[in-house]
Amino acid sequence: MKSVTRTASVLDKFLHIVSIAIRIASVSLIIGLGILAAGFLFDLPPHVIGTGYNHADLGFVTFTVAENYLPDHRIIWCEVAMEIILALICMIPAHLSVKAIRNILAPMKNGEPFHNTVSTNLKKLANYSFALGIGLNLQKIISNIFLVKAYDLHLLLLSEKISHVDFMFVFDLSFLVIFGVLLLLSYIFRYGEELQQLSDETL
């Protein structure tokens, strides 16, 4: 039991740091959104807001687009703003997930792994992981769609050696596995809590 309490204490301290990092990241995203908003309102030149407008990132491939084929910088700003908004939305379930895990660890630090709050927080964590998975998928897909449309990648990639280009926007469902495992764990811990309660009542 000592190893459980010690591990729970270490993890709780680490998650406290993660929670602070999430808050800092959220503030940074809000500042970035404010800078983009200022760019739109005051019609600031592109270089004041940022750089790298001629780079199109496709994961393991990065294109440097010639100046004549660059999209309007406002379109790129819209893409970045959308990504920031989605990232901010994702920060909510991320923060709540960390909070739920810390609530799970709290009774474990006191040597009570089957406390009656553990299963409830595991169920919450499962729901938060589901929401986070949806948010991250939407962020990735919307970013890729913007990228394809803004830079006209169909035309950029077509050549005498390439006759047709298709883009597939895949919805990654791996988060459902995490959701299912956490939900199953919540039921297991709920059963353990009931057994613990029966044991306490017997004693």
Side-chain angles (χ1 to χ4, degrees):
M1 187 60 72
K2 286 184 179 179
S3 60
V4 173
T5 56
R6 186 165 57 249
T7 303
S9 297
V10 172
L11 287 173
D12 185 63
K13 289 176 183 176
F14 171 73
L15 288 170
H16 178 63
I17 296 170
V18 172
S19 179
I20 294 171
I22 290 173
R23 290 193 186 100
I24 293 171
S26 299
V27 172
S28 301
L29 289 169
I30 291 169
I31 292 170
L33 198 60
I35 292 171
L36 285 171
F40 276 107
L41 288 173
F42 302 107
D43 197 24
L44 299 175
H47 69 272
V48 173
I49 302 299
T51 58
Y53 296 101
N54 59 334
H55 296 305
D57 188 7
L58 295 176
F60 68 96
V61 178
T62 301
F63 293 93
T64 301
V65 184
E67 293 291 331
N68 293 336
Y69 295 94
L70 283 178
D72 186 273
H73 64 272
R74 287 175 173 269
I75 295 174
I76 300 174
W77 288 356
C78 285
E79 177 199 349
V80 175
M82 182 64 69
E83 286 189 28
I84 290 175
I85 290 168
L86 288 171
L88 280 169
I89 292 171
C90 288
M91 287 295 172
I92 297 171
H95 173 72
L96 292 174
S97 294
V98 171
K99 184 179 178 182
I101 297 172
R102 293 191 72 192
N103 288 339
I104 292 167
L105 293 173
M108 291 186 180
K109 290 193 297 182
N110 299 323
E112 300 177 85
F114 291 106
H115 191 269
N116 58 12
T117 60
V118 174
S119 64
T120 302
N121 281 290
L122 273 170
K123 197 168 185 178
K124 288 180 180 179
L125 184 59
N127 292 329
Y128 298 149
S129 70
F130 183 85
L132 186 58
I134 295 289
L136 291 174
N137 270 282
L138 286 175
Q139 184 184 28
K140 182 179 178 181
I141 290 172
I142 290 173
S143 173
N144 287 340
I145 291 172
F146 259 106
L147 189 64
V148 170
K149 298 295 183 184
Y151 288 91
D152 243 341
L153 288 186
H154 289 89
L155 297 177
L156 285 177
L157 297 177
L158 287 176
S159 70
E160 58 185 22
K161 294 182 180 180
I162 301 174
S163 60
H164 184 70
V165 177
D166 274 327
F167 295 98
M168 294 181 64
F169 305 106
V170 180
F171 201 85
D172 183 8
L173 298 176
S174 59
F175 69 93
L176 292 177
V177 176
I178 299 172
F179 170 73
V181 169
L182 289 171
L183 203 59
L184 180 62
L185 281 173
S186 73
Y187 296 142
I188 293 171
F189 271 85
R190 179 59 184 162
Y191 182 65
E193 290 166 12
E194 291 174 356
L195 290 178
Q196 184 69 52
Q197 186 178 358
L198 287 172
S199 176
D200 293 342
E201 289 174 355
T202 304
L203 293 174

